[in-house]
Structure formats: structure tokens, C-alpha cells
mmCIF file of all heavy atoms in Angstrom:
data_model
loop_
_atom_site.group_PDB
_atom_site.id
_atom_site.type_symbol
_atom_site.label_atom_id
_atom_site.label_comp_id
_atom_site.label_asym_id
_atom_site.label_seq_id
_atom_site.Cartn_x
_atom_site.Cartn_y
_atom_site.Cartn_z
ATOM 1 N N PHE A 1174 -31.844 -9.924 -21.105
ATOM 2 C CA PHE A 1174 -31.914 -10.958 -20.081
ATOM 3 C C PHE A 1174 -30.968 -10.568 -18.948
ATOM 4 O O PHE A 1174 -29.798 -10.255 -19.191
ATOM 5 C CB PHE A 1174 -31.494 -12.302 -20.690
ATOM 6 C CG PHE A 1174 -31.325 -13.416 -19.689
ATOM 7 C CD1 PHE A 1174 -32.394 -13.866 -18.927
ATOM 8 C CD2 PHE A 1174 -30.083 -13.989 -19.520
ATOM 9 C CE1 PHE A 1174 -32.250 -14.892 -18.025
ATOM 10 C CE2 PHE A 1174 -29.912 -15.049 -18.616
ATOM 11 C CZ PHE A 1174 -30.998 -15.480 -17.849
ATOM 12 N N ASP A 1175 -31.440 -10.619 -17.730
ATOM 13 C CA ASP A 1175 -30.650 -10.302 -16.551
ATOM 14 C C ASP A 1175 -29.920 -11.549 -16.046
ATOM 15 O O ASP A 1175 -30.536 -12.591 -15.862
ATOM 16 C CB ASP A 1175 -31.538 -9.785 -15.399
ATOM 17 C CG ASP A 1175 -32.111 -8.437 -15.688
ATOM 18 O OD1 ASP A 1175 -31.933 -7.924 -16.813
ATOM 19 O OD2 ASP A 1175 -32.770 -7.860 -14.814
ATOM 20 N N VAL A 1176 -28.615 -11.385 -15.824
ATOM 21 C CA VAL A 1176 -27.828 -12.521 -15.330
ATOM 22 C C VAL A 1176 -26.640 -12.041 -14.549
ATOM 23 O O VAL A 1176 -25.848 -11.209 -15.034
ATOM 24 C CB VAL A 1176 -27.361 -13.435 -16.503
ATOM 25 C CG1 VAL A 1176 -26.544 -12.671 -17.519
ATOM 26 C CG2 VAL A 1176 -26.560 -14.609 -15.952
ATOM 27 N N ALA A 1177 -26.515 -12.425 -13.293
ATOM 28 C CA ALA A 1177 -25.317 -12.219 -12.493
ATOM 29 C C ALA A 1177 -24.823 -10.785 -12.577
ATOM 30 O O ALA A 1177 -23.618 -10.551 -12.816
ATOM 31 C CB ALA A 1177 -24.234 -13.189 -12.886
ATOM 32 N N GLY A 1178 -25.705 -9.828 -12.321
ATOM 33 C CA GLY A 1178 -25.279 -8.416 -12.304
ATOM 34 C C GLY A 1178 -25.091 -7.787 -13.663
ATOM 35 O O GLY A 1178 -24.587 -6.670 -13.754
ATOM 36 N N ALA A 1179 -25.526 -8.446 -14.734
ATOM 37 C CA ALA A 1179 -25.452 -7.884 -16.087
ATOM 38 C C ALA A 1179 -26.783 -7.996 -16.766
ATOM 39 O O ALA A 1179 -27.625 -8.801 -16.416
ATOM 40 C CB ALA A 1179 -24.390 -8.619 -16.899
ATOM 41 N N VAL A 1180 -26.975 -7.128 -17.747
ATOM 42 C CA VAL A 1180 -28.157 -7.234 -18.616
ATOM 43 C C VAL A 1180 -27.645 -7.509 -20.030
ATOM 44 O O VAL A 1180 -26.974 -6.675 -20.632
ATOM 45 C CB VAL A 1180 -28.998 -5.963 -18.596
ATOM 46 C CG1 VAL A 1180 -30.172 -6.051 -19.557
ATOM 47 C CG2 VAL A 1180 -29.477 -5.639 -17.175
ATOM 48 N N LEU A 1181 -27.973 -8.692 -20.537
ATOM 49 C CA LEU A 1181 -27.485 -9.098 -21.840
ATOM 50 C C LEU A 1181 -28.504 -8.783 -22.899
ATOM 51 O O LEU A 1181 -29.698 -9.165 -22.778
ATOM 52 C CB LEU A 1181 -27.184 -10.618 -21.864
ATOM 53 C CG LEU A 1181 -26.197 -11.159 -20.832
ATOM 54 C CD1 LEU A 1181 -26.020 -12.645 -21.029
ATOM 55 C CD2 LEU A 1181 -24.866 -10.411 -20.919
ATOM 56 N N THR A 1182 -28.094 -8.101 -23.964
ATOM 57 C CA THR A 1182 -28.941 -7.840 -25.107
ATOM 58 C C THR A 1182 -28.634 -8.916 -26.165
ATOM 59 O O THR A 1182 -27.474 -9.231 -26.413
ATOM 60 C CB THR A 1182 -28.638 -6.440 -25.676
ATOM 61 O OG1 THR A 1182 -28.919 -5.472 -24.691
ATOM 62 C CG2 THR A 1182 -29.497 -6.153 -26.919
ATOM 63 N N TYR A 1183 -29.696 -9.432 -26.782
ATOM 64 C CA TYR A 1183 -29.485 -10.505 -27.734
ATOM 65 C C TYR A 1183 -30.492 -10.443 -28.857
ATOM 66 O O TYR A 1183 -31.545 -9.792 -28.778
ATOM 67 C CB TYR A 1183 -29.571 -11.866 -27.030
ATOM 68 C CG TYR A 1183 -30.939 -12.191 -26.419
ATOM 69 C CD1 TYR A 1183 -31.879 -12.921 -27.150
ATOM 70 C CD2 TYR A 1183 -31.293 -11.739 -25.151
ATOM 71 C CE1 TYR A 1183 -33.125 -13.211 -26.602
ATOM 72 C CE2 TYR A 1183 -32.515 -12.027 -24.614
ATOM 73 C CZ TYR A 1183 -33.424 -12.773 -25.341
ATOM 74 O OH TYR A 1183 -34.663 -13.069 -24.823
ATOM 75 N N ASP A 1184 -30.254 -11.177 -29.926
ATOM 76 C CA ASP A 1184 -31.184 -11.393 -31.011
ATOM 77 C C ASP A 1184 -31.504 -12.877 -31.083
ATOM 78 O O ASP A 1184 -30.590 -13.724 -30.945
ATOM 79 C CB ASP A 1184 -30.573 -10.928 -32.360
ATOM 80 C CG ASP A 1184 -30.336 -9.456 -32.422
ATOM 81 O OD1 ASP A 1184 -31.149 -8.678 -31.903
ATOM 82 O OD2 ASP A 1184 -29.300 -9.050 -33.010
ATOM 83 N N ASP A 1185 -32.770 -13.192 -31.281
ATOM 84 C CA ASP A 1185 -33.205 -14.571 -31.427
ATOM 85 C C ASP A 1185 -34.128 -14.610 -32.646
ATOM 86 O O ASP A 1185 -35.296 -14.223 -32.611
ATOM 87 C CB ASP A 1185 -33.985 -14.996 -30.160
ATOM 88 C CG ASP A 1185 -34.379 -16.460 -30.182
ATOM 89 O OD1 ASP A 1185 -34.127 -17.152 -31.165
ATOM 90 O OD2 ASP A 1185 -34.981 -16.901 -29.171
ATOM 91 N N GLU A 1186 -33.538 -15.040 -33.747
ATOM 92 C CA GLU A 1186 -34.217 -14.962 -35.065
ATOM 93 C C GLU A 1186 -34.421 -16.358 -35.668
ATOM 94 O O GLU A 1186 -33.760 -17.298 -35.292
ATOM 95 C CB GLU A 1186 -33.415 -14.084 -36.015
ATOM 96 C CG GLU A 1186 -33.087 -12.722 -35.465
ATOM 97 C CD GLU A 1186 -32.003 -12.008 -36.255
ATOM 98 O OE1 GLU A 1186 -30.837 -12.412 -36.159
ATOM 99 O OE2 GLU A 1186 -32.358 -11.050 -37.000
ATOM 100 N N GLY A 1187 -35.284 -16.414 -36.640
ATOM 101 C CA GLY A 1187 -35.453 -17.652 -37.402
ATOM 102 C C GLY A 1187 -36.552 -18.531 -36.854
ATOM 103 O O GLY A 1187 -37.079 -18.301 -35.761
ATOM 104 N N PRO A 1188 -36.892 -19.574 -37.586
ATOM 105 C CA PRO A 1188 -37.988 -20.494 -37.208
ATOM 106 C C PRO A 1188 -37.607 -21.308 -35.976
ATOM 107 O O PRO A 1188 -36.453 -21.706 -35.787
ATOM 108 C CB PRO A 1188 -38.171 -21.368 -38.457
ATOM 109 C CG PRO A 1188 -36.842 -21.332 -39.148
ATOM 110 C CD PRO A 1188 -36.309 -19.976 -38.882
ATOM 111 N N ARG A 1189 -38.619 -21.589 -35.131
ATOM 112 C CA ARG A 1189 -38.402 -22.424 -33.950
ATOM 113 C C ARG A 1189 -38.708 -23.916 -34.206
ATOM 114 O O ARG A 1189 -38.389 -24.745 -33.358
ATOM 115 C CB ARG A 1189 -39.303 -21.946 -32.788
ATOM 116 C CG ARG A 1189 -39.155 -20.490 -32.436
ATOM 117 C CD ARG A 1189 -37.774 -20.174 -31.893
ATOM 118 N NE ARG A 1189 -37.725 -18.873 -31.276
ATOM 119 C CZ ARG A 1189 -37.452 -17.755 -31.919
ATOM 120 N NH1 ARG A 1189 -37.253 -17.780 -33.230
ATOM 121 N NH2 ARG A 1189 -37.461 -16.588 -31.293
ATOM 122 N N ASP A 1190 -39.363 -24.203 -35.332
ATOM 123 C CA ASP A 1190 -39.843 -25.556 -35.565
ATOM 124 C C ASP A 1190 -39.025 -26.323 -36.581
ATOM 125 O O ASP A 1190 -39.485 -27.340 -37.100
ATOM 126 C CB ASP A 1190 -41.308 -25.516 -36.014
ATOM 127 C CG ASP A 1190 -41.510 -24.623 -37.261
ATOM 128 O OD1 ASP A 1190 -40.507 -24.000 -37.683
ATOM 129 O OD2 ASP A 1190 -42.636 -24.552 -37.763
ATOM 130 N N GLY A 1191 -37.821 -25.825 -36.869
ATOM 131 C CA GLY A 1191 -36.987 -26.521 -37.850
ATOM 132 C C GLY A 1191 -36.361 -27.756 -37.285
ATOM 133 O O GLY A 1191 -36.322 -28.004 -36.066
ATOM 134 N N ALA A 1192 -35.832 -28.607 -38.176
ATOM 135 C CA ALA A 1192 -35.235 -29.843 -37.731
ATOM 136 C C ALA A 1192 -33.833 -29.629 -37.174
ATOM 137 O O ALA A 1192 -33.324 -30.469 -36.403
ATOM 138 C CB ALA A 1192 -35.147 -30.814 -38.918
ATOM 139 N N ASP A 1193 -33.187 -28.542 -37.540
ATOM 140 C CA ASP A 1193 -31.800 -28.262 -37.116
ATOM 141 C C ASP A 1193 -31.787 -27.556 -35.777
ATOM 142 O O ASP A 1193 -32.657 -26.738 -35.455
ATOM 143 C CB ASP A 1193 -31.096 -27.401 -38.160
ATOM 144 C CG ASP A 1193 -30.933 -28.083 -39.497
ATOM 145 O OD1 ASP A 1193 -30.624 -29.288 -39.500
ATOM 146 O OD2 ASP A 1193 -31.135 -27.410 -40.521
ATOM 147 N N VAL A 1194 -30.744 -27.850 -34.989
ATOM 148 C CA VAL A 1194 -30.609 -27.171 -33.705
ATOM 149 C C VAL A 1194 -30.186 -25.715 -33.960
ATOM 150 O O VAL A 1194 -29.624 -25.392 -35.025
ATOM 151 C CB VAL A 1194 -29.571 -27.859 -32.811
ATOM 152 C CG1 VAL A 1194 -29.956 -29.298 -32.557
ATOM 153 C CG2 VAL A 1194 -28.166 -27.784 -33.409
ATOM 154 N N PRO A 1195 -30.389 -24.807 -33.021
ATOM 155 C CA PRO A 1195 -30.035 -23.410 -33.221
ATOM 156 C C PRO A 1195 -28.536 -23.176 -33.387
ATOM 157 O O PRO A 1195 -27.709 -23.931 -32.840
ATOM 158 C CB PRO A 1195 -30.572 -22.710 -31.959
ATOM 159 C CG PRO A 1195 -31.588 -23.643 -31.398
ATOM 160 C CD PRO A 1195 -31.115 -25.025 -31.763
ATOM 161 N N LEU A 1196 -28.208 -22.133 -34.136
ATOM 162 C CA LEU A 1196 -26.847 -21.660 -34.228
ATOM 163 C C LEU A 1196 -26.690 -20.533 -33.179
ATOM 164 O O LEU A 1196 -27.505 -19.635 -33.083
ATOM 165 C CB LEU A 1196 -26.554 -21.075 -35.612
ATOM 166 C CG LEU A 1196 -26.692 -22.014 -36.790
ATOM 167 C CD1 LEU A 1196 -26.410 -21.238 -38.093
ATOM 168 C CD2 LEU A 1196 -25.739 -23.184 -36.668
ATOM 169 N N VAL A 1197 -25.629 -20.644 -32.380
ATOM 170 C CA VAL A 1197 -25.366 -19.634 -31.351
ATOM 171 C C VAL A 1197 -24.024 -18.978 -31.685
ATOM 172 O O VAL A 1197 -22.957 -19.625 -31.689
ATOM 173 C CB VAL A 1197 -25.313 -20.313 -29.946
ATOM 174 C CG1 VAL A 1197 -24.999 -19.260 -28.892
ATOM 175 C CG2 VAL A 1197 -26.615 -20.983 -29.654
ATOM 176 N N PHE A 1198 -24.062 -17.662 -31.965
ATOM 177 C CA PHE A 1198 -22.885 -16.922 -32.342
ATOM 178 C C PHE A 1198 -22.365 -16.089 -31.163
ATOM 179 O O PHE A 1198 -23.134 -15.343 -30.551
ATOM 180 C CB PHE A 1198 -23.211 -15.989 -33.537
ATOM 181 C CG PHE A 1198 -23.446 -16.700 -34.826
ATOM 182 C CD1 PHE A 1198 -24.722 -17.125 -35.170
ATOM 183 C CD2 PHE A 1198 -22.410 -16.956 -35.697
ATOM 184 C CE1 PHE A 1198 -24.957 -17.791 -36.379
ATOM 185 C CE2 PHE A 1198 -22.607 -17.619 -36.889
ATOM 186 C CZ PHE A 1198 -23.879 -18.037 -37.241
ATOM 187 N N VAL A 1199 -21.057 -16.238 -30.895
ATOM 188 C CA VAL A 1199 -20.422 -15.553 -29.762
ATOM 189 C C VAL A 1199 -19.285 -14.703 -30.293
ATOM 190 O O VAL A 1199 -18.320 -15.222 -30.857
ATOM 191 C CB VAL A 1199 -19.934 -16.536 -28.700
ATOM 192 C CG1 VAL A 1199 -19.483 -15.815 -27.464
ATOM 193 C CG2 VAL A 1199 -21.017 -17.546 -28.345
ATOM 194 N N HIS A 1200 -19.379 -13.369 -30.091
ATOM 195 C CA HIS A 1200 -18.362 -12.458 -30.630
ATOM 196 C C HIS A 1200 -17.127 -12.441 -29.764
ATOM 197 O O HIS A 1200 -17.039 -13.057 -28.664
ATOM 198 C CB HIS A 1200 -18.957 -11.057 -30.778
ATOM 199 C CG HIS A 1200 -19.279 -10.401 -29.484
ATOM 200 N ND1 HIS A 1200 -18.324 -9.856 -28.626
ATOM 201 C CD2 HIS A 1200 -20.476 -10.166 -28.870
ATOM 202 C CE1 HIS A 1200 -18.919 -9.318 -27.565
ATOM 203 N NE2 HIS A 1200 -20.234 -9.502 -27.692
#
């Protein structure tokens, strides 16, 4: 994803239709 002069690499895993909101991990 391109943002403000950077290209961010990411992983987006797991089901999208679950009842729980996503977990976002920041190193």
C-alpha cells in the first residue's frame, strides 16, 4: 500500500465474516 512517500508491505489473514473485530499488530 502506497502512503505518504512510502510503500507499506502487510499481511491480511483470517476470515472477514467473523463476529470479532480485526487484530492489528504493530512491531
Side-chain angles (χ1 to χ4, degrees):
F1174 172 64
D1175 291 6
V1176 56
V1180 178
L1181 303 181
T1182 300
Y1183 64 94
D1184 295 323
D1185 185 359
E1186 305 166 287
R1189 305 294 193 273
D1190 55 357
D1193 296 318
V1194 302
L1196 299 178
V1197 179
F1198 290 90
V1199 188
H1200 67 75

